[in-house]
């Protein structure tokens, strides 16, 4: 990894990932398959200027996620994470309104 490359935090991937996931995974916790570090996805280092989006582990730099859109197809590679977990008790941003 080139240390001089600029990156954003994982929150910047929220828009693109919302095209695939019904929940906001930037608040999810993932474990890096390389070093075992567990952190919120929002803390990942996001490189938006690669072909597609590339999120790297904030600790070791290993690739956690790659997202590439080619024409009408989206390719999502999550091999860099052992798991991704969400707290389902936390409210998600949604346009759903509940009537009382
Ligand atoms: Zn790592």
């Amino acid at each position: 990894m080139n240390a001089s490359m600029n990156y954003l935090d994982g929150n910047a991937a929220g828009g693109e990932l919302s095209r695939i996931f019904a929940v906001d995974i930037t608040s999810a916790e993932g474990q890096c398959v390389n070093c075992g570090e567990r952190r919120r996805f929002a803390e990942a280092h996001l490189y938006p200027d690669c072909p597609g989006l590339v999120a790297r582990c904030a600790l070791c730099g290993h690739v956690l996620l790659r997202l590439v859109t080619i024409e009408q197809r989206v390719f999502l590679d999550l091999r860099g994470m052992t798991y991704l977990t969400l707290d389902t008790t936390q409210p998600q941003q949604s346009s759903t309104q509940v009537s009382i």
Side-chain angles (χ1 to χ4, degrees):
M1 184 174 77
N2 184 346
S4 66
M5 290 180 66
N6 291 329
Y7 63 86
L8 305 172
D9 71 36
N11 285 309
E16 281 295 313
L17 293 172
S18 71
R19 296 173 56 193
I20 298 172
F21 294 101
V23 296
D24 178 11
I25 74 157
T26 60
S27 63
E29 179 183 279
Q31 182 176 37
C32 174
V33 75
N34 186 53
C35 72
E37 179 74 0
R38 291 177 296 192
R39 291 190 185 199
R40 288 185 335 119
F41 184 79
E43 297 177 57
H45 294 178
L46 185 73
Y47 295 85
D49 296 329
C50 297
L53 296 176
V54 174
R56 291 183 175 272
C57 174
L59 184 63
C60 74
H62 186 75
V63 174
L64 299 173
L65 173 148
R66 294 184 295 164
L67 177 68
V68 177
T69 301
I70 301 174
E71 297 178 359
Q72 288 82 31
R73 302 199 67 83
V74 176
F75 296 84
L76 178 63
D77 177 357
L78 295 169
R79 286 178 291 173
M81 285 189 272
T82 305
Y83 66 82
L84 188 65
T85 181
L86 285 159
D87 181 352
T88 58
T89 64
Q90 296 299 311
Q92 296 292 316
Q93 290 182 345
S94 170
S95 60
T96 302
Q97 295 181 351
V98 177
S99 299
I100 299 175

